[in-house]
Amino acid sequence: MFLLQTCSVAGCVEFAVHHRDTCFSHIPDPARYDQEIRQLISRTDTLADMNLSFIELSELDLSGKNINRCILSHASIQRVNLNNTRIRLLFVDFARINDCSFRASNIHNAVFAGAEIEACDFTGSDIMRCNFCGVRCRDTLFDESNLYASRFIASQLSRVGFQDCNLKQVRFEHADISEADFRYSNTEDANFGIGAKQL
Amino acid sequence: MRFFSYFSVLHFSNCYLVGPDGPGDAVLIDPGVFDEGLLRLIEDKQLYVRYVLITHVHHGHVNGLQTLQKIYDTTIFCFDPERLEAPPLRVGENKPVTCGEFSFQVLETPGHSNDSVCFLINGLLFTGDSLSAGSIGTTATGYEQALLLSSIRKKILTLKQNVLIFPGHGPPSRLEIERRFNPYLKEKI
């Protein structure tokens, strides 16, 4: 269940965030809200049905948690441990994700599209049917991951590791790929199509 | 409103379930398969599939109907009723589809097939094979591709940018993402 209630401020088209009737930019005290959310997500094992768009999360340990049907669009996520998480239907589109670890996670139907992903580690994860279209991804590892049916269309991938991955039905059309490592992966099952530039 | 997605390995297609907060009548969109997993999802949530919406009559989106109708007394809606054996009710842009407490806006988006429609409710857009993450539906001819792109531009790209997109195949997306990164839409605008 997505709580897609529009912000109560007249003319605003953003969705209201979790436990508030306004979007993040119209919260009177965003720092206090950040703190409240930090405490909330730290003490619960399952994060479900939350809209936390535009929130700033840093230095958090969310390893082993279940994250279901949440929206963190345009969020800033830095130095967060998400190892061994189980993620279903998550929107982190247009987010800034730096120095985060998603090792050995199980991620289905997550939307990272348009995000900046830098120095992150997805090693050994199931990343199935996820949307990485338009991401700007640097210095990040997807090694030993199952990326089945995920899409990196029109993405910019620089110094990204795809070593020993399952790339079946993975789509890279129009991607700008430089210094990527596809060793031992089944690139023949992926679609690089037209417009993918491998440097 | 509760919302769930279900992936069918049979046709690699997505099926969606929209239901009330508690037990009650639910809407199933594009049952490309009706297997034990989907049945368990519906029953665990204490829902009853009273309505089915079909984005277009291709196998990967309707194959589960026969089994479904043996279990639930359901009303089916699609754009071209003559293409299904059990006659469903016709949908069109002239009026929303009312499924109990849920009202879906219908967007006619021909191109991938003549009967393609999308359904919109509460900022969730179910696009079938018309539009998916970074791509559009396959078409047999250049004319049909032009028709599909025209449909998408007129009907979908004019919606609010924070509309969430749930396609018949592949991962979910958002309208803003497709506007900015979908090569088909960028190239042709």
Side-chain angles (χ1 to χ4, degrees), chain B residues 1-71:
Chain B
M1 186 181 98
R2 284 190 291 174
F3 163 74
F4 305 95
S5 68
Y6 185 77
F7 175 68
S8 157
V9 181
L10 187 61
H11 297 282
F12 306 111
S13 57
N14 301 315
C15 157
Y16 300 102
L17 182 67
V18 175
D21 290 342
D25 290 345
V27 184
L28 194 61
I29 300 164
D30 282 355
V33 68
F34 198 87
D35 58 12
E36 195 182 336
L38 181 54
L39 179 64
R40 195 180 303 127
L41 171 69
I42 296 162
E43 294 295 317
D44 283 353
K45 307 299 177 193
Q46 296 183 286
L47 296 171
Y48 187 98
V49 180
R50 184 71 70 188
Y51 310 95
V52 173
L53 302 180
I54 305 293
T55 60
H56 64 298
V57 183
H58 280 173
H59 290 304
H61 301 261
V62 298
N63 257 10
L65 277 179
Q66 213 170 6
T67 310
L68 173 75
Q69 287 175 293
K70 289 176 182 167
I71 301 169

Side-chain angles (χ1 to χ4, degrees), chain B residues 74-96:
Chain B
T74 186
T75 304
I76 303 166
F77 296 91
C78 75
F79 181 79
D80 188 357
E82 291 177 10
R83 299 183 67 175
L84 282 173
E85 284 178 17
L89 301 175
R90 188 181 195 285
V91 298
E93 282 180 343
N94 50 344
K95 67 169 188 176

Side-chain angles (χ1 to χ4, degrees), chain A residues 101-160:
Chain A
S101 181
F102 295 78
R103 289 176 73 97
S105 288
N106 189 294
I107 308 171
H108 292 193
N109 283 324
V111 179
F112 291 85
E116 275 186 39
I117 302 173
E118 189 171 355
C120 291
D121 188 355
F122 291 83
T123 299
S125 295
D126 275 334
I127 304 169
M128 294 165 70
R129 298 187 309 283
C130 290
N131 183 351
F132 290 89
C133 296
V135 293
R136 282 174 291 167
C137 184
R138 288 193 302 263
D139 302 305
T140 290
L141 293 176
F142 290 92
D143 295 349
E144 300 163 33
S145 290
N146 180 4
L147 288 157
Y148 173 77
S150 290
R151 297 189 182 184
F152 292 80
I153 294 167
S155 60
Q156 296 173 39
L157 308 172
S158 176
R159 297 185 299 278
V160 177

Side-chain angles (χ1 to χ4, degrees), chain A residues 1 4 13 15 69 71 73 89 91 93-94 109 111 113-114 129-131 134 148 151 153-154 169 171 174, chain B residues 1-3 5 7 12 21 122 124 132-135 162 164 166 170-174 176-177 180-181 183 187:
Chain A
M1 172 178 63
L4 296 175
V13 296
F15 294 128
R69 301 179 302 275
I71 303 179
S73 304
L89 202 50
F91 281 79
D93 48 324
F94 303 106
N109 283 324
V111 179
R129 298 187 309 283
C130 290
N131 183 351
Y148 173 77
R151 297 189 182 184
I153 294 167
Q169 290 199 33
R171 295 178 62 172
H174 297 270
Chain B
M1 186 181 98
R2 284 190 291 174
F3 163 74
S5 68
F7 175 68
F12 306 111
D21 290 342
N122 288 1
L124 311 180
S132 67
S135 192
N162 55 6
L164 306 181
F166 293 95
S173 190
R174 184 192 291 266
E176 187 183 358
I177 295 166
R180 288 170 63 165
F181 302 119
E187 284 170 7

